[in-house]
Amino acid sequence: MSYDLYFYKRKSSNLTEEYVKNYLILLDNFIFYENSIQWDYHNKETGVYFGIDWNDPNIDIEETEIWNNFEDFENLNFSFTINFIRPDYFAYESFPILDKIISDLNLYILNPQDEINPDHPQKFEKGYLVNQWINHNEKLIVTNLDEFQVDFYSKEKSDYIWNYQFFRNQLQESLVEDIFVAGYLLFKNDTDGKIYSACVWPNHIPLILPPVDFVIIKKEYKKFFRIINESGFVSIQQIENKLGKYFDDFDYKIPGLKILY
């Protein structure tokens, strides 16, 4: 199940399909598949993804009447697709990128999901599309939760982790000292069925630590002339009890961070 939008221009515009293709190639985090004429956005830090496809112009008469029969608008044969049954932060990250594309190229959008005007290309107010996707997505999740057996995390924690992961590389690159900015891992406990958060703390490295349930500690030692590597989970409560006095608050636009020098 997906949410699909179609790109149009005014017939008086000089914008070409080739220009749109070259524009998309230059965008960050987009993977271009030359053979399939597809641009896939994928942020490895957050897991967010969506796609933009170029579709061969349809010469079927009935299809042409649906997609191309507009007095003032021309179909550019590009479509934006984002899946449903996803966390809200998929929308927080994806739609600002779409808004920039629409603004830069002066596009009009045909939105078949729109309750008001699904049959005509138009401009949408800022925030309209993201809120529409979130509303549709929530309804589908509620309807299909049992069928898909989806594991879910609280919205507050989920949004925080996305926000942290979205800015993590930016934070890492801004540091002048050799400090490791830990990334989030999520895992499901087979015993209680709950989802927990964790991050890795490499050996002997100062780090910035976000709020987590567990820290994965790595240990290296010699035994019988061999180097042994081990790793294990330590609860954040144990970390705070033993080492809490050595951590300082770290002031950043993302709250709740601790730093150990």
Side-chain angles (χ1 to χ4, degrees):
M1 289 181 284
S2 63
Y3 179 88
D4 303 305
L5 304 171
Y6 300 88
F7 294 179
Y8 283 76
K9 68 168 186 174
R10 285 198 174 276
K11 288 185 176 178
S12 58
S13 170
N14 293 324
L15 183 65
T16 65
E17 293 179 22
E18 196 63 30
Y19 185 92
V20 177
K21 292 177 183 177
N22 292 331
Y23 170 91
L24 294 173
I25 290 173
L26 298 177
L27 294 179
D28 292 338
N29 292 322
F30 273 82
I31 303 170
F32 173 54
Y33 298 97
E34 188 170 3
N35 293 333
S36 61
I37 317 297
Q38 181 179 3
W39 294 258
D40 283 349
Y41 175 90
H42 183 208
N43 187 336
K44 294 180 180 179
E45 286 292 320
T46 64
V48 172
Y49 62 89
F50 64 84
I52 294 177
D53 296 302
W54 180 81
N55 310 291
D56 281 322
N58 201 314
I59 59 175
D60 182 88
I61 295 178
E62 292 185 3
E63 291 290 324
T64 300
E65 289 179 352
I66 295 173
W67 299 107
N68 297 329
N69 192 24
F70 298 106
E71 182 178 351
D72 298 324
F73 298 97
E74 180 180 330
N75 186 1
L76 284 165
N77 300 304
F78 286 89
S79 61
F80 165 92
T81 299
I82 181 171
N83 289 335
F84 286 120
I85 321 293
R86 298 295 182 272
D88 284 357
Y89 61 71
F90 267 59
Y92 305 155
E93 185 170 335
S94 300
F95 283 92
I97 297 170
L98 175 63
D99 287 344
K100 184 180 188 311
I101 294 171
I102 291 172
S103 176
D104 287 352
L105 301 179
N106 192 24
L107 300 176
Y108 289 76
I109 299 298
L110 181 66
N111 181 3
Q113 295 91 181
D114 192 43
E115 296 87 354
I116 301 172
N117 189 2
D119 302 316
H120 199 273
Q122 57 185 304
K123 296 278 190 180
F124 291 91
E125 293 182 2
K126 186 176 181 180
Y128 183 91
L129 296 174
V130 61
N131 290 330
Q132 184 183 62
W133 182 89
I134 288 174
N135 290 334
H136 285 210
N137 186 57
E138 288 179 353
K139 291 176 183 177
L140 284 169
I141 288 174
V142 170
T143 303
N144 296 282
L145 191 61
D146 291 336
E147 178 184 351
F148 287 108
Q149 297 182 338
V150 177
D151 291 318
F152 62 90
Y153 209 41
S154 76
K155 175 176 170 55
E156 181 182 6
K157 291 181 179 180
S158 178
D159 286 352
Y160 181 93
I161 290 175
W162 165 75
N163 193 40
Y164 175 80
Q165 290 293 124
F166 188 78
F167 289 107
R168 187 171 79 95
N169 283 337
Q170 184 181 113
L171 172 56
Q172 184 73 76
E173 292 171 2
S174 70
L175 298 172
V176 294
E177 300 174 83
D178 188 15
I179 300 172
F180 176 67
V181 181
Y184 269 103
L185 300 170
L186 293 178
F187 64 94
K188 182 178 179 180
N189 189 322
D190 289 338
T191 303
D192 60 19
K194 294 181 180 180
I195 297 175
Y196 293 93
S197 61
C199 70
V200 175
W201 185 357
N203 255 355
H204 312 303
I205 296 179
L207 89 160
I208 290 175
L209 182 69
V212 289
D213 299 311
F214 291 90
V215 177
I216 301 173
I217 303 292
K218 293 189 174 183
K219 182 169 65 173
E220 181 181 292
Y221 59 94
K222 289 184 179 180
K223 184 177 181 180
F224 300 119
F225 308 105
R226 291 188 301 131
I227 300 296
I228 306 298
N229 290 287
E230 293 182 356
S231 61
F233 287 88
V234 181
S235 72
I236 191 62
Q237 289 81 11
Q238 289 176 289
I239 296 290
E240 291 173 347
N241 290 340
K242 295 288 186 180
L243 302 172
K245 64 182 180 181
Y246 300 108
F247 280 88
D248 295 321
D249 293 331
F250 184 77
D251 186 22
Y252 192 60
K253 56 187 168 184
I254 302 168
L257 304 183
K258 299 285 187 180
I259 185 168
L260 177 68
Y261 291 101

